[in-house]
Amino acid sequence: MHKIITAFIELIKAILEWTKTNSDGIMASIVAAFILAIIVRFIQYIKNKPKEINELLKHENFNDINWIEELDKSLEIKDTMRRNFPEYSDYLLIQYGSSVEANNKLPQDYDFIVLMLGIPKEERRYLHNKGTTGSDEVSSKDSIYQVDIVYRDYLSFLYAASSGMPYENSVIATGKLLKGHKGYFQWLKNITQNHLYDRDFLIRRFEDKISAEKQEFQKCLFENLKFKHEKYYVIRAGYYYITSLLQLNHIKKFDKVVFQNDVVGL
């Protein structure tokens, strides 16, 4: 045991002596390794950094799987779901609106919806459409493009579409699946395009919807006046309320039986 301890002490002395003799070279090696590590990290950051959203949206080859993955990364969908909706395990990424089917009557913007798949606790079905990536905007403030994204529980979306709600049916009719299981999206198309909607049923649904939207509008207006909450929520609630009133007026002019095209037209 004494021999082992003596040998160990001699080894330590030898290492210390070598360190003194070669201190300049050791320091240079440490500095060089540190600089090299910084360069490697910087290259990895540049390589993995999401591309600018505008650069992706101007991409011409929309069938390129790499383009879809880059878009998915730029929209920060996985991070948003992990942060806000951890109970959902998968999702469909759908593009819809005027960016899919050009319409001169509508402004050119980019609309996406994420239909979340999973079984949330206590059967609570989530809907989220106040922002997109943790900030209020996806694109930069200097962007000329408008990007909007909604997070929605798949089943709640299906129920609303089956009830004849215009927004959900328009997404299904005009939307394009970018990422996710094709079977889920095809099921939405199949189950809704063959539906015949009853006009009086739609009227009752909209009357209930309008009642809730009126209360929300009044609540947002009160909170803005009393607590100085953002006017954005007043405008948003008022938009939904007024839009539903206009849509109800059109529904009352429909025939007894309504087709999906009639609902999408709203």
Side-chain angles (χ1 to χ4, degrees):
M1 185 66 178
H2 177 71
K3 291 182 179 180
I4 295 175
I5 293 174
T6 302
F8 180 74
I9 293 173
E10 292 295 328
L11 176 63
I12 295 298
K13 289 181 178 178
I15 292 173
L16 291 174
E17 190 65 30
W18 180 85
T19 303
K20 290 180 182 179
T21 306
N22 299 277
S23 59
D24 293 339
I26 293 173
M27 185 60 66
S29 298
I30 292 174
V31 172
F34 180 73
I35 294 173
L36 180 62
I38 292 176
I39 293 173
V40 170
R41 291 290 297 272
F42 181 74
I43 292 174
Q44 290 177 340
Y45 170 78
I46 295 297
K47 183 178 179 181
N48 297 322
K49 180 184 178 183
K51 291 184 174 58
E52 287 291 330
I53 191 72
N54 294 338
E55 177 186 348
L56 291 169
L57 293 173
K58 290 186 289 187
H59 203 288
E60 293 182 0
N61 184 9
F62 291 100
N63 293 317
D64 186 354
I65 189 64
N66 293 326
W67 174 84
I68 295 172
E69 290 298 330
E70 288 291 341
L71 178 65
D72 187 76
K73 188 189 300 182
S74 293
L75 293 174
E76 299 181 13
I77 293 173
K78 291 180 181 177
D79 291 337
T80 302
M81 285 189 59
R82 191 180 303 113
R83 184 170 58 249
N84 296 303
F85 314 107
E87 299 172 40
Y88 291 90
S89 58
D90 208 348
Y91 58 91
L92 311 182
L93 173 60
I94 300 168
Q95 183 181 5
Y96 68 98
S98 59
S99 59
V100 176
E101 291 191 0
N103 187 337
N104 293 330
K105 296 180 181 179
L106 297 174
Q108 183 72 13
D109 59 2
Y110 293 88
D111 297 305
F112 302 94
I113 184 168
V114 177
L115 296 183
M116 303 182 295
L117 303 172
I119 304 175
K121 295 178 182 177
E122 300 177 1
E123 290 298 316
R124 290 179 60 191
R125 302 289 168 182
Y126 290 90
L127 182 152
H128 173 74
N129 59 356
K130 296 180 181 178
T132 49
T133 63
S135 59
D136 290 333
E137 294 177 310
V138 175
S139 52
S140 64
K141 292 183 179 179
D142 297 329
S143 170
I144 61 172
Y145 296 96
Q146 298 297 318
V147 179
D148 187 27
I149 183 168
V150 174
Y151 291 82
R152 184 76 174 269
D153 177 90
Y154 178 88
L155 284 181
S156 76
F157 183 88
L158 173 61
Y159 297 154
S162 301
S163 298
M165 293 297 99
Y167 167 75
E168 286 79 3
N169 275 279
S170 66
V171 169
I172 293 170
T174 65
K176 177 175 63 175
L177 178 67
L178 296 181
K179 182 177 180 179
H181 304 285
K182 292 182 179 179
Y184 284 103
F185 191 51
Q186 191 59 47
W187 169 249
L188 289 174
K189 286 183 174 293
N190 291 343
I191 200 171
T192 55
Q193 70 184 2
N194 296 318
H195 256 123
L196 299 179
Y197 302 103
D198 179 79
R199 179 197 60 202
D200 296 333
F201 169 76
L202 277 181
I203 289 175
R204 292 193 299 272
R205 289 279 288 127
F206 264 80
E207 287 174 343
D208 293 339
K209 181 172 179 281
I210 288 169
S211 177
E213 288 171 345
K214 182 179 179 180
Q215 291 178 10
E216 178 66 17
F217 172 64
Q218 291 173 335
K219 170 177 166 290
C220 291
L221 185 60
F222 172 78
E223 290 175 347
N224 172 255
L225 295 174
K226 189 171 180 63
F227 304 110
K228 305 301 179 183
H229 287 189
E230 291 185 30
K231 288 184 179 179
Y232 163 78
Y233 297 108
V234 179
I235 296 170
R236 180 171 170 270
Y239 165 78
Y240 285 122
Y241 175 44
I242 294 172
T243 300
S244 294
L245 287 172
L246 293 173
Q247 290 174 329
L248 177 60
N249 187 52
H250 280 287
I251 292 173
K252 290 178 178 178
K253 300 175 184 177
F254 282 164
D255 294 331
K256 176 63 177 173
V257 177
V258 182
F259 297 89
Q260 187 184 55
N261 289 339
D262 299 317
V263 172
V264 171
L266 292 172

